[in-house]
Amino acid sequence: MNKKADALRITPRSESHPDWYQDVVREGQLAEAAEIVKGAMVIKPHGYAVWEKIQGELDRRFKATGHKNAYFPLLIPESFLKKEAEHVEGFSPELAVVTVAGGQELEEKYVIRPTSETVIGHFFAQWIQSWRDLPLLINQWANVVRWELRPRLFLRTTEFLWQEGHTAHASHEEAKEEVLRMLDVYADFAEDFMAMPVIRGEKTASEKFAGAVTTFCIEAMMQDGKALQAGTSHDLGQNFGKAFNVRFQNEQGELDYVWQTSWGVSTRLIGGLVMTHSDDNGLVLPPKLAPIHAVIVPFFRKNADENARVREAGAELARALEAEGLTVKFDDRDGAPGPKFFENERLGVPLRFGLGPRDLVERQLEFKRRDQSEKRSIPLDGAAKFAKEALADMQQELFRRALARREANTVRVDDYDDFLDLMKSERDSESKFVFAHWDGTPETEAKVKAETKATIRCIPLPGQGFEAEPGTCMVTKKPSAQRVIWAKSY
RNA sequence: CGGGGUGUAGCUCAGUUUGGCUAGAGCGCUUGGUUCGGGAUCAAGAGGUCGUAGGUUCAAAUCCUAUCACCCCGACCA
């Protein structure tokens, strides 16, 4: 390894997971810390392209389930936040507040939205009169600000991008269906597009959204075994309906408060993507979210005619790949192929083709998949079809590996001493999900958190291989209806 | 908010203890040549009000005072 390679080194994951993460994000050209504001980040073009892929697919799914996009104000009167007691209590510590505008001290301060339940409640109250106005199904793509004491790129930044769905329904039953429907949309998206297996579950009281009746979530395991909350869906009951007087007349002519939901995923997903698939060579992107599917690297020599033929063959291959629906980069910049290989690997480009004079003679080309270590030769004819199949295979393979890793790192524990030993003995790079019984009290949860830093990530929903079985709490030995997922988390 | 640290070239940093010539290195960048099948090489070159403000001094990146910002570790969180 020469000086250049040394300077561009990515810290091996086994050495330091946090350093590895930072290096992969930087070298993958996803984002960088905007050091002008604490905790702010610049999402760079390649990172934003991934976000656009995420947005595009989710937006399609939201619309397919009947939602419409809208946009609400960034600034919210402070009094709005205070209308829902639990909500304001939960968010107060992380609010950024505008006190001066137009050169004058404001009569009433504005908070920069940390989320939009309150401002949307205000408008829903104006838009909804009758049961015929329901359900009202709205989504907003927006930025929000939550002042963070300890930021990390994508995972926790002061300002982040997200979508927030907000719906109003005539019955609690219908609202609950919506909450689980959107949770399933998230789970399916995470597994099918991000190739990131998730566990759908319910949050405990201490982890639920401030102002919600119930919070559901999808939780994923990162490569260091820690949990990442990748999306949430809330049953808001009538809490905000009452706070903002969102009432409707039902079919019997009686006035009632609407039943609301809200649900969101954010740019945090990109952090999850990185920590699920990437390796010591940099970013690995699942094909369905890769802005570039394939890169073609030409091998040039001295002979100008020969180079012209290589260039032509490369362009032709690019056209063939594009005809199969792939996004292709023909990397014919000056310079040796080696640095191009490394750069494209770090960008997470799933497929790479190498093409030189030798290949043209033999009607073949060099092929390498980002998730495999060996390169191989394949016939030039039919390369585009081959590529398309390779992408589909890689998408599945990434999911399969991530799922296998999660299963290998999920353990059942019945005895609290065993739990303590496990949490103490694990190194930072090899944490685990622990499936264990809990007596259902916040006190027990708090005790475990204080002693081990592990929390209940969720109470898993049925149908995911974590079926309910009664038992006794690992800490207090009191009765427990089912096991829950314990883990350290981001 | 508590503890620790850092601000010098685009990046990573040396120089500060003990003040002293024109402020340095590696990488990156620009131009030209030879190269090109896994991080090439040679030559020439561009790039700095040393975080900011004030003070001490013949002289300040270096000493003093104030101030700002960011990073790391903890408590809070999508």
Side-chain angles (χ1 to χ4, degrees), chain A residues 16-38:
Chain A
S16 163
H17 194 272
D19 288 349
W20 167 82
Y21 175 77
Q22 299 259 15
D23 289 350
V24 171
V25 169
R26 186 188 64 246
E27 293 300 320
Q29 297 178 31
L30 295 177
E32 58 191 40
E35 293 178 339
I36 47 172
V37 179
K38 186 184 175 73

Side-chain angles (χ1 to χ4, degrees), chain A residues 348-393:
Chain A
V349 179
L351 305 183
R352 188 189 84 215
F353 295 102
L355 184 63
R358 217 154 69 201
D359 302 303
L360 291 185
V361 174
E362 295 171 32
R363 297 296 295 166
Q364 63 172 27
L365 72 171
E366 185 186 290
F367 171 77
K368 179 156 186 320
R369 231 169 85 169
R370 183 61 185 84
D371 64 326
Q372 297 174 340
S373 51
E374 271 86 47
K375 56 189 176 191
R376 51 193 277 209
S377 287
I378 62 161
L380 191 52
D381 301 309
K385 277 227 153 46
F386 180 88
K388 198 175 180 185
E389 283 161 19
L391 288 178
D393 189 62

Side-chain angles (χ1 to χ4, degrees), chain A residues 48-57 288-291 293 327:
Chain A
Y48 201 81
V50 173
W51 178 238
E52 285 177 319
K53 286 266 183 180
I54 292 172
Q55 273 189 308
E57 177 60 20
K288 287 185 181 180
L289 291 178
H293 295 120
T327 306

